[in-house]
Amino acid sequence: MLRASALAVGQVHEQVVVDNLTRTQIVQYAGASGDYNPIHTDEVFATQVAGYPSVFAHGMLTMGMTGKLITDLVGDGQLLSYGGRFTSQVWPGDTLVARATLTSIEHTEGEAVANFEVATTNQAGVVVFQGSATARVLPD
Amino acid sequence: MAAERFPVESSHVLMFARAIGDENPIYADPEVGAKSTFGACLAPPTFVQASAQFDPTYPLRPRPGVTWFGSGATPSVAMTEAAERAKEAEATGEAAPSSGGGGRGSGLHAEQHFTYHRPLLVGEVLTVSTRAGETWEKQGRKGGLLRFSESITEYRGADGSLVVTARAVGVLTAQPVKEA
């Protein structure tokens, strides 16, 4: 668990959450999540029927990979909220960097909560996921 | 999502953690879980999305006896069958059924938000209830109307108290979404 006194507003934590995303990892996520939508799993359907340049990743795969940065940062079981918008598609071959920026720490009745802005960008600098997270931290 | 009973099982959590590239042992190693302050392994923050596995009629999973809309002998089995039925109906003078699969437009996940009331433990059996939220429309940047709809899903533990609340926003586009 993080200590509030060890945190500074504006601090940025970042992590490469996937390097050269494979179609196989997208299928792996389909199998685990249960979402087999052919726009994610079936190149023939995605290109010839749906009209996309290739299959693309589930938004929830990007959010799940980005979640690793946050739980690595705040510790296990400390998250209070996590959410965001899928702002651009993620394609096979993409490399994603997730960033969490501490925006504030709130102290209430012996407890402390850290608020983070979260953004994940691809190798071209395009934001693919943008949101926020809040987590319990030690008040000191 | 219409899963009503969602058992949070260790191999399922292991597979999910692998798929998101997270090798944290709190998701996979029962000994690490048992020795933790939680007394059990945890599920990753986005895991409840996998309750789709326990929805008996989840439409994004192929099922026996139900025509799948992905490719087989043709790029889309369902659309080929629908087109054949329409041709047949035309030939026999019956009215053609209203076109179902629009083809080039699609439904996409626009937003997802989770509120965690407490950590989700491996071994729990959750009950799930989903309700519709707001709906709204917006003009897309590249033309075409975007229709948004929200759903709220509550995941509750054995004692009926909330574990996770999920809010999803879906968008239906009139054409394939171009890369931003």
Side-chain angles (χ1 to χ4, degrees):
Chain A
M1 199 167 172
L2 283 175
R3 305 190 75 87
S5 59
L7 294 169
V9 170
Q11 234 170 15
V12 180
H13 296 265
E14 68 173 48
Q15 197 178 97
V16 176
V17 290
V18 68
D19 181 6
N20 188 3
L21 176 68
T22 60
R23 287 172 177 77
T24 305
Q25 188 174 354
I26 297 173
V27 168
Q28 191 182 14
Y29 184 78
S33 68
D35 178 351
Y36 293 91
N37 193 332
I39 61 173
H40 304 308
T41 59
D42 182 338
E43 192 84 8
V44 172
F45 177 89
T47 56
Q48 295 182 32
V49 180
Y52 290 103
S54 78
V55 292
F56 56 94
H58 308 72
M60 289 307 296
L61 172 54
T62 300
M63 186 172 179
M65 295 189 298
T66 301
K68 177 181 180 294
L69 163 79
I70 301 161
T71 49
D72 282 355
L73 176 62
V74 303
D76 301 329
Q78 306 304 328
L79 265 185
L80 297 170
S81 71
Y82 174 37
R85 291 186 303 126
F86 305 105
T87 49
S88 192
Q89 279 150 308
V90 172
W91 304 95
D94 279 0
T95 291
L96 303 182
V97 176
R99 285 185 187 83
T101 307
L102 183 74
T103 53
S104 63
I105 301 175
E106 294 165 39
H107 291 269
T108 47
E109 296 162 21
E111 293 193 347
V113 170
N115 298 306
F116 296 93
E117 267 177 16
V118 179
T120 302
T121 50
N122 66 16
Q123 64 286 354
V126 174
V127 177
V128 296
F129 176 74
Q130 186 155 41
S132 61
T134 61
R136 257 186 305 267
V137 293
L138 286 172
D140 293 294
Chain B
M1 238 167 276
E4 286 171 5
R5 183 179 175 276
F6 176 24
V8 178
E9 294 164 347
S10 56
S11 358
H12 190 194
V13 170
L14 172 74
M15 288 167 63
F16 189 92
R18 282 180 178 165
I20 60 170
D22 196 336
E23 297 185 311
N24 186 337
I26 196 69
Y27 304 136
D29 186 334
E31 276 184 38
V32 170
K35 283 180 193 154
S36 72
T37 55
F38 311 104
C41 284
L42 301 183
T46 60
F47 179 74
V48 290
Q49 196 74 7
S51 61
Q53 299 279 16
F54 297 92
D55 176 349
T57 58
Y58 187 59
L60 298 177
R61 176 180 71 240
R63 285 182 292 141
V66 179
T67 305
W68 180 237
F69 63 107
S71 68
T74 54
S76 173
V77 176
M79 284 175 65
T80 305
E81 286 187 3
E84 275 166 11
R85 275 198 300 277
K87 213 184 285 173
E88 218 171 274
E90 212 177 319
T92 58
E94 288 172 40
S98 62
S99 134
R104 299 185 74 84
S106 27
L108 293 176
H109 199 170
E111 291 181 38
Q112 183 68 44
H113 305 270
F114 296 107
T115 303
Y116 305 102
H117 307 280
R118 64 165 174 79
L120 173 55
L121 306 180
V122 168
E124 288 195 68
V125 179
L126 302 177
T127 56
V128 187
S129 63
T130 300
R131 63 178 193 271
E134 308 274 298
T135 59
W136 64 95
E137 291 182 350
K138 204 173 119 184
Q139 201 64 37
R141 267 179 302 172
K142 300 197 169 90
L145 194 66
L146 305 174
R147 295 170 196 277
F148 293 87
S149 61
E150 188 184 54
S151 73
I152 291 118
T153 304
E154 292 179 339
Y155 298 86
R156 291 174 185 272
D159 65 354
S161 66
L162 279 170
V163 183
V164 180
T165 306
R167 184 168 69 85
V169 178
V171 59
L172 205 60
T173 65
Q175 53 195 281
V177 176
K178 295 288 186 298
E179 206 171 349

